[in-house]
């Protein structure tokens, strides 16, 4: 900056403030001006920038150190647990990882394509004719000379059985035997000079939830022969109860749950691990009024082999490795209320021999009939008995009896209080 004089006038001055020849009447007190140039200004700005950069560097270092300290603390908490308040107590929960250690073939796990190539020659389509029509399922080879395993419900009531092989040939088969409760049957084909490729079984007790599985079968029959589906084991030892039309448990099965596709026609087919070994027999899927998807079940291979071995040897099976038989009292009953007429399930009033309405003598469950000598109640309960207590609780409904029996097995004892001929008495019924 400068004053209003031009450069030549400024150059004639010897000092920042002076009296010039042209200034005839200088002001009493004139303002003092100082010339500045860019170099001086840049030096000042440079010094300011240096100070600013130094301050920013110090700030960055401090922030970085604080961040590193915080990150270290958080990492320590994540690794070693969370401190509970100020007590110093560490909340830490160990996680157990299950690793299966077993001797494997040098080749290791197979691809799905390799499993398919290995199992397809062992898989068959089982076709049957019955009184009411025809049906089909799946089976797999047990021996080279023609023994084949399938589900019992595939051949139940069959008049004829034939087997379709993967090469397109078909042969007649005969039933060796089966066990309805276990849902396992063995059939036999006369192979002549030919031979089958038997499957290799694996130990189903070593299975883990989440293991990969492959299912092979014939959904809808021979048109979709040899279909393959993949999935995982969704659950082990699933206890499924099967009920009859009267609401009683017919049997209880412990099965492998899988999410691989299982459909009508897959029944009796092999469920395999990733080494191409059979770990189960595909048997059913969950289906009712709800829209379930990918909830299938298979019979574990260890239990299935026990049943299969006895069937091949004797033609039948007498154990309960796969299924526990349900129990029942073997009586027909009605719920009654003291002082009211006894009515049947359709609302008709029951009458005695003289045609008079039967009036309930006590609250409870009235026995109308007892089954034959094979029933649990035979020789213990009688017609016209009233069951007033079950295992110490007041008897109020047939559903109550069903629920209690559902958790009982053959050989268990049911404790009852009954009312007969005007007297109460306690009786024990051993389940058959």
């Amino acid at each position: 900056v400068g004053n209003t004089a031009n450069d030549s006038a400024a150059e004639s001055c010897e000092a920042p403030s002076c009296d010039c020849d042209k200034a005839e009447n200088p002001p009493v007190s004139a303002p003092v001006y100082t010339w500045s140039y860019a170099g001086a200004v840049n030096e000042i700005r440079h010094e300011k920038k240096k100070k600013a950069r130094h301050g920013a560097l110090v700030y960055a270092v401090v922030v970085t150190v604080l961040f590193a300290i915080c990150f270290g603390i958080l990492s320590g908490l994540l690794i070693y647990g969370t401190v509970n308040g100020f007590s110093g107590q560490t909340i830490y929960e160990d996680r157990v990882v299950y690793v299966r250690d077993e001797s494997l073939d040098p080749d290791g796990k197979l691809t799905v394509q390799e499993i398919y190539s290995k199992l397809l020659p062992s898989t068959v389509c089982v076709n049957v004719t019955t009184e009411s029509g025809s049906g089909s399922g799946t089976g797999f080879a047990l021996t080279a000379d023609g023994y084949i395993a399938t589900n019992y419900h595939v051949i139940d009531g069959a008049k004829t059985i034939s087997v379709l092989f993967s090469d397109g040939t078909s042969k007649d088969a005969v039933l060796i035997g089966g066990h309805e409760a276990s849902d396992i049957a063995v059939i036999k084909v006369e192979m002549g000079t030919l031979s089958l490729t038997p499957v290799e079984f694996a130990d189903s007790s070593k299975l883990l939830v989440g293991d990969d599985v492959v299912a092979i079968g014939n959904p809808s029959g021979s048109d979709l022969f040899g279909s393959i589906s993949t999935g995982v084991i969704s659950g082990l030892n699933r206890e499924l109860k099967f009920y009859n039309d009267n609401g009683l448990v017919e049997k209880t099965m412990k099965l492998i749950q899988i999410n691989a596709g299982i459909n009508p026609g897959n029944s009796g087919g092999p469920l395999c691990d990733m080494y191409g070994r059979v770990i189960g027999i595909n048997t059913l899927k969950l289906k009712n009024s709800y829209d379930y998807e990918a909830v299938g079940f298979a019979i574990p291979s260890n239990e299935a082999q026990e049943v299969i071995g006895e069937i091949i040897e004797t033609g039948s099976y007498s154990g309960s490795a796969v299924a526990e038989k349900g129990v029942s009292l073997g009586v027909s009953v009605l719920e009654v209320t003291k002082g009211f007429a006894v009515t049947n399930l359709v609302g008709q009033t029951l009458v005695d021999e003289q045609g008079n309405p039967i009036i309930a003598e006590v609250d409870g469950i009235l026995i109308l009939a007892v089954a034959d000598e094979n029933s649990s109640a035979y020789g213990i309960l009688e017609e016209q008995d009233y069951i007033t207590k079950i295992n110490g609780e007041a008897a109020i409904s047939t559903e109550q009896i069903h629920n209690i029996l559902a958790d009982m097995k053959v050989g268990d004892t049911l404790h009852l209080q009954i009312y007969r001929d005007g007297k109460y008495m306690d009786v024990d019924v051993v389940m058959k």
Side-chain angles (χ1 to χ4, degrees), residues 11 30 34 76 81 209 241 259 275 286 355 360 377 403:
E11 291 174 357
T34 301
V209 173
K241 296 184 184 297
N259 71 342
Y275 304 99
L286 187 60
N403 292 338

Side-chain angles (χ1 to χ4, degrees), residues 13 28 51 64 82 87 151 159 240 245 353 358 429 432:
C13 297
V28 178
K51 292 180 179 179
T64 302
T82 303
S87 66
N151 280 147
K159 296 177 62 178
L240 273 62
D245 294 337
E353 296 179 354
I358 298 176
V429 181
K432 294 183 180 180

